[in-house]
Every structure is written in structure tokens, then in C-alpha cells.
Amino acid sequence: MAPAGRGFVVLAVALLSVWTDKVICNTYISTVNLMDSDLQGQGCGSNSEWDEYTAECEPTFLNLVETDCQPRGSHGCDSVLSLNSEKILSQAKILAEQKKLPFPVEDMNTNEDLAIGYVLIGSSLYDEAIKHFSSLLQEDPELVSAIYGRGIAYGKKGVQDIKNAELALFELSRVISLEPNQPEVYEQRAEILSPLGRINEAINDLSKAIHLRPSARLFRHRGTLYFISEDYVAAHDDFQQSLELNKKQPVAMLYKGLTFFHRGLLKEAVVEFKEALKHKTDFIDAYKSLGQAYRELGDFEAAMDSFQKALLLNQNHIQSLQLRGMMLYHHGNVQEALKDFKRCLQLETYNEVCQYMKGLSHVTMGHFYEGIKAQTKVMLNDPLPGQKASPEYLKVKYLREYSRYLHAHLDTPVAEYSIDHDLPGSFKDHWAKNLPFLIEDYEEQPGLQPHIKDVLPQNFESYKSEVQDALCLANKLGKLMQYNTPGILPNERILRAMGFATLEVMQSLQRTWMNSKIRLNGKTRLMQWKDMFDIAVKWRRIADPDQPVLWLDQMPARSLSRGFNNHINLIRGQVINMRYLAYFDRILNFIKERILVFHGTNNPKGLPEVREALEKVKKVEDLLPIMKMNSKTRDGFTVNTKVPSLKDPGKEYDGFTVTVTGDRVGNMLFSVETQTTEERTQHYHSEIDTLYKDLTVKGKALMLSTELGDADTICNLILSLVYYFYNLMPLSRGSSVVASSVLLGTIMASGKEVAGRIPKGKLVDFEAMTAPGPETFGKTAKHWLNLKSAEASYKDLPAVSETFPTLRTMIEVLNTESPSHC
């Protein structure tokens, strides 16, 4: 999932900031933040997200009475900084009389002296407050309220200064030693600890406070810290407890929804976000989060509606603009996405995400000058010493170099060059692995050439009618490859590109079966299987230049010898990858079989006990106790799937590796990965070579025959071929959709076409990877495909490779808006 994921980390910190910047009121609590709330109560400042919670709050000990204050939003409502000495004394007297200050004493004069210090804190005069409390402590070193006040003043002065933080913690710890049963002090200390990154200590303090006096506020606060620690189950429980004590908490509902979201429970998250909006109809963060949840569910329209509502409430809400722009880009609406990124940068010039995405959007549409200008701005934003580089900073130099390469080849026929051969091996290796751009002796791509102009917009009506038909058909074919599963948003640009790839594969195969040669990589020859896939790779690359779609066997030898891993986390900690949920049981059953084999060999006496335990295993987490039954698997285990050979019956190749580690539920890793080594690649290539030769023979026979059986044989052969391709995963990105377009193109070349759709929740690549063999996969896939005879009109389509011979023409047709009737 996640992507989308980074935005929610930002949200968590932002909402925690709301919590710490706005009052969370009680008789003594949150003196550091009290003044903002009091001013809001008198009509100053903006509405707090926590206004809904005032029912749980007792009257604050510092309730300023500013009689000159005008109604909310008026210029007459000045900061407490403008209070003169007389007003400070007046406020202090009111506090003392009402005993609305922490740890009051019996002596009224002492209380008035203490109250002056708290009013100074409220006036943002922290140094004066510290001096005032220090003078009181000279007279009485154990005056608890003065110790507490001085600690509050140090905290309010700024915990980013470690000296202030240490002094604040020292004073609050002194208070706790003198008054160990006051929950508000533990909570106050937690507020100091959490910004310092000492989250576990802060959680411990809040747990003590909850033990002393449970409240909705304390559960909410601790839940927020659990959330930041990525303990989403504990966070959920705390937010639930908080809501049981006080149901009117929209932010707690939002956070509860986010605990679902981060665990992949998207539908449950949607319910909570909607519940938050019932209680607070102008809750921008809830609309934004709802938009993200719908995006992850693949519901573009609902996501757009939610982002739109957030922006109607605040048209300058940067996170909503950024997230909507990214969703639009990944939905294929690049032009609309660009508008959001430009607006984002108008509001926040140094927003690195929007700057990167602006550059990427320009390059995707063929606007290389503006694109590289934006990329350069991101490159100049070097991280500070010790600061972790952002994902955008790590990627941007690769994108700029690739953009320069694309621009230089914009008008060169794509059949005359090869990206895999032209780009340096170390560059490809680092780019595919998302490593920092530290490449020895790298020679930069040439700068932009002025005589090569940017890609211009192309109208649908400007194309000939037969090209319009091909474009409409490409849209239709692309949708046949779309997965309908959570976590995958349809990308109309990529789907159109792969629709064109399908048509070009169909036409190229038909020419090959008629003994015609093709032009590829600067050479004219008969098409081989990799050439067939290269057609789809070409279209996939240009649809989204952000993703390195590269052949792994073309990587440097050193990289291949170490193995190039395609890794997928199915469960990591408490996060479930909902995209692959339909395959959990199948993988679990395979694991159980391998565990029995392992114990049969290494622990025969304990096998009956293991078999009995495995019968009770219903989900992956249930395996954790069984792991403890053998010292070799106590910390985890890996099992390897096997892929049977058709070429050499009885022989098997390595499939993917399943890993399960962890010591308890919520702290486990359940993942799969394929490791592309040179030896493994050669084995799979041998299978694919044999199948492709058979496919070519049958294809040539089909061109001379009208027998339907030949088309069925071709279907079986191409399904077996892509079965090995899916299991090999030979590309750094995009192996699945590339294989799907080749599959559809081959079927169409045989005179058939697909009438079925991929079932909801199913993934063709994982269906192949988890099938026991090509026959089982082929049987399932044929059922999904629901083949029928192809329309005769497909023969009249223009040649795709000749209609769109260059990158420029390919980008133009992908940029073109097609009419709704298309």
C-alpha cells in the first residue's frame, strides 16, 4: 500500500501538534498550552479541532478575563502580551481567590505570588516566570506549585533546546517525587518527553496517569503516541476507550480510522472517517483521510469527491492538493494533476513532493524543459548533515538523467535504439534498487538540445478515423488487464499504453507467423520472444517515466551474481497488504505442507504433535507457536516454492521464497520474494525459448489453416509461456502488466479475443506464482479469459509501430483526451 503512506505519517505528527498546541483542559493539566485555549474561549484565535471535547473539561485554573476583548476575529482582541502590570496582578488575584492554579496552599498571599508566575507564563514571559518561581523557591525549596510552574515555563520556552527540555523534565520529576499521585504531572512530563522522541517513556507516564485517574483525554493522548510508534492495535484500543468515555470526539474517531487504514482495513477506516464527519462536518483532515482510503480501495470517484470537499472548506489546504494531485497522476490524469502541484507550490514554494511531481508530470507529457527545471530545484534542496534524504531527493537525479535521454531520442524511431543497452549498467542497477546516486565515473547525459522541441497537444479529431478506432480499442483492451482489488487504482494512461502494446504484439506476431521480419534495436530480423515482450516494455516505460522498467538480465554481472530481489510484504508488524489477501490461505497451506516435511525429517518423534497443532492453524499468525517447537525455526523460517519444467519433466526450478518471522502477533513479518540470479534466469529462459519456438510453429500453421484447434493450442502455449514469465519476474517493475498485454496480443493474433474480466480480488501474476504448475494456471486463466472469435475489423487497423514510430508520437497519443463515446 502504502503509498500513500507518507502523507499519513505527516498527518499523525500534525494532529499530535494540534493536541500539544491546543489546550487539553483539566483543573491543573497542560499549563504549557493553556493560554491559547483561554484566549479562544474569550473569542481570540481560531477554532481548535478539540473544541468538541469541552464537555470533558473542568474549569481551567487560569481563566483570563479580558474585558476589552471584542468578539472573535476582531482586531480589538490582543495577545496577553499586551497585559500591563496592573492587569497581571488582577488576573493573579482572581486565580488565587478561585484556587485555579496547580497545588495551591493554605496561605492566600503565597497563592497570589504563585498565580503571578502562571500569568507570566500565559503572557509568554517565560524567563520572567522562571525568575519569579525561582525567587519563591529560594524562600521555600519544596513549594510544589513553584517547582511545577518553573518546569512548565522551561517546557513552554522550547523543548527543541535540550537544556530547556532537561530542566523541564528535572522540575516535573521533582514534583512527581513530592506528589506521586497527581496524574496531570505525569501527563505534563509525557508532553515534554514525546517531542524528544522518548515515546516509550512518555507512554509509561501516561499509563501511570491513566491508572491514577482514567479519562478520555489520557486514553486519546496515549493512543496518539502508540499510533506514532506504529502500534496500531494498542492505539485503536486506546481511542476506543477514549470514545467510550466521551463519544463526541471527531479527532479521536479520525485516529481510530487511521489505525484501521494503516493495518489495511480500508472499509473499516471509511466507516470511522464518516463517523468523524457526522460530528464535525467541516473536518478537513477527515475528508482528506477519507479520500486516501477510497484511493486505496481503487474508488477514484469517491476519492475525488472527498478531496474536493476538503478543498471546498479550504482551497489552500496543501496536503489535500498534494494528495489529490498524486492520485490524479497515478490515475493517468497528468494534466489535471499538474494544476494541483502548481497550486501547491504557489502556497509552499519549497514543497519537495509537489516540486518533484510537477517535474515528473511535465516530463510524462513531453514538456522536458519545464520538467528538468523543476527536477533541478529538487536536486538543489540538499539534506542537512545528519538529515535523512527524502524519497524525492533520492529519485530526482535518476529522473533527470532519464529525462535527458528521452529528450535526446524524442524523434528517433524507437526501433533504432535500446534503453537497456544505452544506459550505463551501474546507473540502471542503482536506479532499480532506489539507491543514492553515488556512481563512480558516471558521465551525465547531454543537456537539452534547443532544436528538439517539446511535445505539443494533439486533439482526438486530428487523427485519421482508423487511428481514432485504434485509440478507442486500446482503451478497451487496457481495461481488460485492470485488477479489481484493494490497493490498486486504475491508471488510464498506463492502461491505454498497454492496450496499444497488445495491438502491436498482435500485429507483430501475425507478421512473424507470415515469415516477415521486424525492425528492433537497430536490426531487421525474425522476432524472438524477448522482442515480443520488448514491445510491451516500450509502452509501459513511456506511460510513466518515474518507474524504472528494466530487464534484470541486462544488469551488471556483479548485481546478478548477488541476486536481484523482488520483495513483497504480505504482513509486516500490524500492517496487512490487502492487495494479496485472496492468496494468504493458498500460501499458508503450502507453508503447512513444508512444515510437515521439515519435521518429518528433523523431528520425527514430534511430528504427531506438530500435525495436530497445524490442524488448528487458520491464519498466518497461528504459526508463531509452532515455530517454537524446533530450535531451528524458533526465530522464523523460509520455504521455497518450486516451478515444474515442461521442457524437462521431473525437473524443478526455484519459484519464490516465503518468509515468516516474529515472536508474537503484531510483531511478525510474512513476505514473499523472487531472487533473480543468472542461473535461475537461464533456466526460465530455456523454458520460454522452447515454448516460443512451439508457438511460432503453431502460429505459422494457423496462418495456413482455419482449424479452431490450432487457436486453442496457441492459447495453451502462450498461457504456459507467461506462467514462466510471471514466476521469473524478469523486470524491475511492470512484469505483470507487460505479460498480460503479451498474453492478450497473442490470443488476438490467433483470431480470438478476451470477453471475460479478471475476478475481483484476483491477480494474474500471483495466480501463476501460487499455482502448482502451468496446466493448473492455464485452466484457471482460460476460465477468466472467456475467449470468443475476434472481430474481423481488427485486420483493418493501422500498424501501431508505423503510426507511432517515435517517443514523440507515442507521448502524443497517450496525452490525447478521448471522447466519452470512445
Side-chain angles (χ1 to χ4, degrees):
M1 276 184 339
R6 187 182 177 201
F8 280 98
V9 174
V10 174
L11 173 64
V13 175
L15 287 179
L16 183 61
S17 175
V18 167
W19 184 88
T20 55
D21 288 345
K22 307 298 182 183
V23 64
I24 304 174
C25 50
N26 200 308
T27 302
Y28 306 145
I29 192 62
S30 298
T31 317
V32 173
N33 302 311
L34 186 59
M35 300 309 300
D36 290 341
S37 178
D38 283 329
L39 286 175
Q40 290 178 16
Q42 297 298 319
C44 302
S46 60
N47 288 320
S48 166
E49 310 293 24
W50 303 99
D51 286 346
E52 312 293 335
Y53 309 157
T54 52
E56 87 172 82
C57 301
E58 301 170 13
T60 60
F61 67 81
L62 192 56
N63 187 14
L64 295 178
V65 180
E66 179 58 83
T67 56
D68 297 331
C69 188
Q70 302 299 315
R72 185 182 293 273
S74 167
H75 291 294
C77 192
D78 296 326
S79 167
V80 183
L81 279 167
S82 65
L83 289 172
N84 55 31
S85 298
E86 183 180 340
K87 288 182 179 179
I88 289 176
L89 293 172
S90 173
Q91 295 287 359
K93 188 171 183 179
I94 294 171
L95 287 175
E97 288 174 350
Q98 297 180 356
K99 289 194 174 182
K100 289 189 176 180
L101 71 161
F103 309 104
V105 296
E106 293 298 325
D107 184 70
M108 188 63 184
N109 291 330
T110 302
N111 283 340
E112 286 189 17
D113 284 340
L114 289 167
I116 289 171
Y118 286 108
V119 175
L120 288 169
I121 291 174
S123 305
S124 300
L125 302 172
Y126 310 124
D127 287 327
E128 288 78 0
I130 291 167
K131 290 176 185 176
H132 181 76
F133 286 125
S134 296
S135 67
L136 294 177
L137 287 167
Q138 284 180 349
E139 299 176 13
D140 184 356
E142 294 192 350
L143 185 58
V144 176
S145 187
I147 299 171
Y148 185 69
R150 190 162 66 177
I152 296 297
Y154 278 124
K156 189 67 174 173
K157 194 175 175 182
V159 295
Q160 54 268 41
D161 184 333
I162 194 64
K163 286 186 177 181
N164 291 332
E166 288 175 350
L167 289 167
L169 291 172
F170 176 76
E171 301 291 15
L172 293 172
S173 297
R174 285 182 66 198
V175 174
I176 289 172
S177 68
L178 295 167
E179 296 283 348
N181 296 321
Q182 297 298 327
E184 58 273 3
V185 188
Y186 288 104
E187 186 175 8
Q188 189 65 67
R189 190 167 69 174
E191 285 194 26
I192 305 296
L193 289 165
S194 54
L196 299 175
R198 295 163 66 175
I199 302 296
N200 288 336
E201 294 173 71
I203 288 173
N204 288 337
D205 271 357
L206 289 169
S207 297
K208 292 174 184 175
I210 288 170
H211 177 73
L212 291 166
R213 189 187 303 149
S215 71
R217 179 190 65 254
L218 288 171
F219 279 116
R220 186 177 62 241
H221 188 179
R222 190 176 68 176
T224 304
L225 295 183
Y226 275 132
F227 181 87
I228 292 172
S229 303
E230 298 185 5
D231 190 345
Y232 302 119
V233 173
H236 169 272
D237 292 345
D238 271 0
F239 291 129
Q240 182 61 37
Q241 288 268 33
S242 181
L243 287 164
E244 287 174 4
L245 293 170
N246 179 3
K247 293 180 172 59
K248 296 181 179 180
Q249 299 186 77
V251 176
M253 294 172 191
L254 170 66
Y255 258 72
K256 182 182 171 185
L258 289 173
T259 66
F260 285 127
F261 180 91
H262 281 275
R263 285 183 285 162
L265 306 174
L266 301 173
K267 292 181 180 178
E268 291 85 348
V270 166
V271 170
E272 288 300 323
F273 297 149
K274 287 183 175 180
E275 190 65 24
L277 288 164
K278 287 180 185 177
H279 289 79
K280 186 174 175 60
T281 57
D282 61 347
F283 198 174
I284 294 176
D285 282 323
Y287 277 121
K288 179 188 66 177
S289 301
L290 185 60
Q292 279 291 85
Y294 277 129
R295 171 192 165 161
E296 290 301 313
L297 285 167
D299 192 337
F300 175 77
E301 297 300 331
M304 277 295 291
D305 181 65
S306 297
F307 287 131
Q308 185 64 23
K309 286 176 179 174
L311 289 165
L312 283 173
L313 291 167
N314 179 2
Q315 62 179 348
N316 297 332
H317 194 248
I318 292 172
Q319 278 196 350
S320 293
L321 285 167
Q322 177 181 312
L323 291 170
R324 186 177 70 174
M326 293 181 73
M327 184 185 73
L328 284 165
Y329 179 87
H330 292 294
H331 187 59
N333 302 23
V334 184
Q335 184 65 54
E336 291 301 310
L338 185 57
K339 294 176 184 177
D340 277 350
F341 299 134
K342 286 181 176 179
R343 177 62 181 155
C344 169
L345 290 167
Q346 287 174 352
L347 298 168
E348 193 173 89
T349 310
Y350 297 103
N351 187 305
E352 202 168 50
V353 175
C354 289
Q355 192 69 257
Y356 179 88
M357 292 303 299
K358 176 188 172 185
L360 174 61
S361 299
H362 275 302
V363 167
T364 300
M365 293 191 295
H367 308 157
F368 290 94
Y369 290 90
E370 286 297 322
I372 290 177
K373 187 194 300 183
Q375 294 162 14
T376 304
K377 289 181 180 179
V378 177
M379 288 176 59
L380 295 174
N381 191 23
D382 293 317
L384 297 172
Q387 182 183 14
K388 186 178 179 181
S390 69
E392 290 72 32
Y393 183 83
L394 287 174
K395 293 191 298 181
V396 71
K397 192 160 187 181
Y398 296 106
L399 179 60
R400 191 180 75 160
E401 289 301 289
Y402 186 45
S403 299
R404 287 173 166 176
Y405 177 88
L406 293 176
H407 181 261
H409 293 81
L410 198 55
D411 297 308
T412 305
V414 290
E416 299 300 320
Y417 61 91
S418 167
I419 289 172
D420 287 285
H421 294 153
D422 294 347
L423 294 178
S426 54
F427 175 91
K428 293 186 297 180
D429 184 52
H430 279 63
W431 187 20
K433 293 176 179 176
N434 199 29
L435 298 174
F437 198 99
L438 301 172
I439 304 173
E440 293 183 6
D441 303 322
Y442 177 76
E443 185 177 339
E444 289 191 350
Q445 294 289 327
L448 300 187
Q449 302 300 311
H451 69 278
I452 303 176
K453 304 302 180 184
D454 276 350
V455 176
L456 298 175
Q458 191 85 352
N459 294 323
F460 180 80
E461 292 74 17
S462 66
Y463 288 112
K464 295 178 180 179
S465 60
E466 59 267 27
V467 178
Q468 293 179 8
D469 291 341
L471 193 157
C472 291
L473 180 57
N475 288 346
K476 176 185 172 183
L477 292 171
K479 291 176 182 176
L480 296 175
M481 298 175 236
Q482 176 60 45
Y483 291 155
N484 182 14
T485 186
I488 299 180
L489 181 75
N491 187 317
E492 294 178 350
R493 186 182 183 89
I494 290 178
L495 293 178
R496 178 184 291 182
M498 303 321 293
F500 276 118
T502 298
L503 292 175
E504 189 172 345
V505 167
M506 174 191 74
Q507 293 169 343
S508 298
L509 277 174
Q510 287 176 336
R511 289 198 298 272
T512 298
W513 293 346
M514 296 295 291
N515 289 320
S516 295
K517 296 182 179 180
I518 60 169
R519 182 78 176 170
L520 283 171
N521 301 329
K523 297 179 181 178
T524 302
R525 52 184 169 78
L526 290 173
M527 187 168 70
Q528 302 301 313
W529 73 263
K530 203 167 185 180
D531 302 326
M532 176 174 65
F533 282 93
D534 251 332
I535 292 170
V537 168
K538 168 188 70 176
W539 283 99
R540 177 61 182 82
R541 278 174 177 158
I542 202 59
D544 185 2
D546 189 41
Q547 299 175 348
V549 183
L550 302 164
W551 288 99
L552 297 182
D553 65 333
Q554 298 297 310
M555 293 292 182
R558 184 174 61 178
S559 178
L560 271 180
S561 64
R562 293 175 180 172
F564 194 102
N565 294 355
N566 277 308
H567 186 93
I568 301 170
N569 287 328
L570 303 179
I571 300 176
R572 179 179 174 271
Q574 298 170 4
V575 181
I576 301 171
N577 192 334
M578 300 299 286
R579 181 181 299 189
Y580 303 97
L581 191 61
Y583 295 92
F584 279 24
D585 285 346
R586 191 181 295 183
I587 297 173
L588 178 59
N589 289 333
F590 170 74
I591 293 172
K592 289 161 72 173
E593 291 173 5
R594 302 312 301 169
I595 288 176
L596 286 173
V597 172
F598 173 82
H599 280 273
T601 304
N602 298 282
N603 180 29
K605 291 183 179 180
L607 184 59
E609 181 186 0
V610 172
R611 181 178 282 109
E612 183 180 353
L614 283 172
E615 289 175 357
K616 299 175 183 177
V617 170
K618 303 300 180 186
K619 53 186 185 297
V620 179
E621 293 90 331
D622 296 340
L623 291 172
L624 297 181
I626 297 173
M627 287 163 49
K628 307 290 187 289
M629 292 182 177
N630 188 287
S631 59
K632 293 181 180 180
T633 63
R634 184 171 290 118
D635 298 325
F637 60 85
T638 61
V639 293
N640 297 310
T641 63
K642 294 297 180 181
V643 174
S645 169
L646 282 177
K647 176 173 170 282
D648 299 310
K651 192 174 182 180
E652 292 181 324
Y653 308 128
D654 288 336
F656 62 86
T657 301
V658 184
T659 300
V660 179
T661 63
D663 54 8
R664 65 184 186 279
V665 175
N667 184 34
M668 68 173 296
L669 174 67
F670 173 39
S671 65
V672 299
E673 69 177 16
T674 58
Q675 188 173 38
T676 302
T677 62
E678 187 173 3
E679 181 182 10
R680 182 175 182 272
T681 300
Q682 288 175 354
H683 288 154
Y684 278 86
H685 280 193
S686 176
E687 292 288 332
I688 295 173
D689 278 335
T690 300
L691 287 164
Y692 181 76
K693 288 175 182 176
D694 289 347
L695 181 71
T696 303
V697 170
K698 296 297 182 184
K700 289 181 177 180
L702 183 66
M703 294 293 103
L704 303 174
S705 170
T706 58
E707 294 294 328
L708 294 176
D710 292 333
D712 194 56
T713 301
I714 285 175
C715 179
N716 292 333
L717 285 169
I718 190 58
L719 283 169
S720 295
L721 192 153
V722 297
Y723 165 81
Y724 288 104
F725 190 92
Y726 283 127
N727 276 281
L728 176 59
M729 285 289 166
L731 299 169
S732 58
R733 294 290 296 271
S735 293
S736 178
V737 75
V738 163
S740 295
S741 61
V742 169
L743 171 62
L744 264 63
T746 307
I747 288 171
M748 291 178 69
S750 72
K752 296 284 187 176
E753 66 175 321
V754 173
R757 300 295 290 268
I758 301 168
K760 187 174 182 179
K762 295 294 186 178
L763 310 169
V764 183
D765 50 351
F766 247 62
E767 198 68 31
M769 292 168 65
T770 57
E775 297 88 355
T776 305
F777 167 70
K779 185 177 179 181
T780 301
K782 282 179 78 172
H783 177 69
W784 295 354
L785 293 170
N786 188 21
L787 299 181
K788 67 175 185 178
S789 297
E791 294 183 20
S793 60
Y794 295 164
K795 297 178 180 179
D796 300 325
L797 291 170
V800 173
S801 60
E802 295 172 10
T803 307
F804 311 109
T806 63
L807 286 178
R808 182 185 297 278
T809 53
M810 292 169 70
I811 294 172
E812 283 174 349
V813 76
L814 295 181
N815 288 348
T816 300
E817 290 189 20
S818 54
S820 57
H821 68 267
C822 185

